[in-house]
Amino acid sequence: MIETGSLIRSLSGRPAARNFHTFVINEIGQSIVTGKFPVGSVLASDAVMMETYGVSRTVLREALKTLEAKGLVEARPKVGTRVSPRSRWNFLDPQVLAWFFDAPPDTAFYESLFRVRAALETPIIELSARRRTAEHVRLMKYWCHQMEIAGESLEQFGLACLEVHGVLAESAQDPLLRSVIGVVELTLALALTRDRAMPAEDYRAQSAALFVRLTSAVENGEAEEALRIFAACRELDRGQTM
């Protein structure tokens, strides 16, 4: 399972610790999502993939089982392992979402991401304004400050912003709503690496300022104001992404 924040950390170019199992999953999964291995195509034989990725049959088979559980491939007797139709992919899987960072730009897909964010973030904010504790507020203020002092570090800013989203989800005290974090991480990574609506430094400054105001609204239990500010945060990310 991918660790929350892994995609944001990758923006700094720091190499991740190599694990053969996750390495093969990432190589094949990213190749499928980015279109290198098209939908309907049959993957190479075990022998070829073992040589390509430098792994044992056991590691390869376990990786393919993981990808099958994510809906990306299906094994068929006498046919091999075939790339599944996109309708079967688990798009809320954080690892699958992370692979879309390197995929060709897709406006329709980005629109879908922001629709899902809006659908899940609205109840999060409403619940957070009612259920937050003093500790939740303290953590939100801390991470907002980290956003403000991140400077040119995309990693520090992105991780701090993701932490604010995480605290909000925790404060809502609804475990299923937390599934939005994978969607948020992808849209945030896309926004941080594009200069669409405004220069990157202006985007980060405006985003930090909005989150400070959001924290204040949640702390004061002002659900409607918090929703309005959070919608502005989302539109800011959308403007940078599309």
Side-chain angles (χ1 to χ4, degrees), residues 18-84:
R18 174 154 173 158
N19 172 289
F20 286 115
H21 179 66
T22 55
F23 167 72
V24 177
I25 292 171
N26 278 316
E27 287 294 304
I28 300 176
Q30 189 174 61
S31 293
I32 292 171
V33 169
T34 58
K36 181 179 178 181
F37 298 160
V39 167
S41 64
V42 176
L43 300 184
S45 67
D46 284 4
V48 170
M49 288 196 287
M50 287 162 56
E51 181 177 356
T52 299
Y53 302 118
V55 297
S56 67
R57 187 181 301 275
T58 299
V59 170
L60 177 63
R61 289 290 175 84
E62 287 302 314
L64 291 174
K65 285 181 181 178
T66 299
L67 291 168
E68 190 166 15
K70 296 177 187 292
L72 269 66
V73 300
E74 53 186 340
R76 294 183 177 180
K78 300 182 181 180
V79 175
T81 302
R82 187 185 298 276
V83 178
S84 301

Side-chain angles (χ1 to χ4, degrees), residues 7-201:
L7 175 56
I8 298 296
R9 291 187 184 91
S10 73
L11 301 182
S12 66
R14 288 192 302 167
R18 174 154 173 158
N19 172 289
F20 286 115
H21 179 66
T22 55
F23 167 72
V24 177
I25 292 171
N26 278 316
E27 287 294 304
I28 300 176
Q30 189 174 61
S31 293
I32 292 171
V33 169
T34 58
K36 181 179 178 181
F37 298 160
V39 167
S41 64
V42 176
L43 300 184
S45 67
D46 284 4
V48 170
M49 288 196 287
M50 287 162 56
E51 181 177 356
T52 299
Y53 302 118
V55 297
S56 67
R57 187 181 301 275
T58 299
V59 170
L60 177 63
R61 289 290 175 84
E62 287 302 314
L64 291 174
K65 285 181 181 178
T66 299
L67 291 168
E68 190 166 15
K70 296 177 187 292
L72 269 66
V73 300
E74 53 186 340
R76 294 183 177 180
K78 300 182 181 180
V79 175
T81 302
R82 187 185 298 276
V83 178
S84 301
R86 282 170 63 101
S87 60
R88 298 183 186 176
W89 297 4
N90 181 1
F91 283 95
L92 287 183
D93 183 300
Q95 196 166 25
V96 174
L97 284 169
W99 291 328
F100 274 95
F101 180 75
D102 293 312
D106 184 339
T107 301
F109 179 67
Y110 294 162
E111 289 281 8
S112 180
L113 285 174
F114 284 100
R115 277 196 298 271
V116 170
R117 269 191 63 173
L120 295 181
E121 286 176 338
T122 296
I124 283 177
I125 296 302
E126 291 174 336
L127 289 170
S128 180
R130 296 204 314 265
R131 298 178 176 178
R132 78 279 179 263
T133 65
E135 178 63 8
H136 290 136
V137 173
R138 184 192 71 79
L139 287 171
M140 288 178 65
K141 288 181 177 180
Y142 171 80
W143 289 114
C144 282
H145 180 60
Q146 294 303 306
M147 291 174 69
E148 291 177 312
I149 65 173
E152 296 300 312
S153 174
L154 296 186
E155 181 180 350
Q156 182 179 335
F157 181 92
L159 290 176
C161 186
L162 197 61
E163 288 287 350
V164 178
H165 281 278
V167 175
L168 282 165
E170 290 291 342
S171 67
Q173 300 177 45
D174 186 322
L176 291 182
L177 290 177
R178 208 184 146 72
S179 62
V180 76
I181 295 300
V183 175
V184 169
E185 183 168 7
L186 175 56
T187 56
L188 180 58
L190 290 168
L192 283 170
T193 52
R194 286 160 167 73
D195 295 327
R196 298 293 178 88
M198 62 185 70
E201 59 271 20

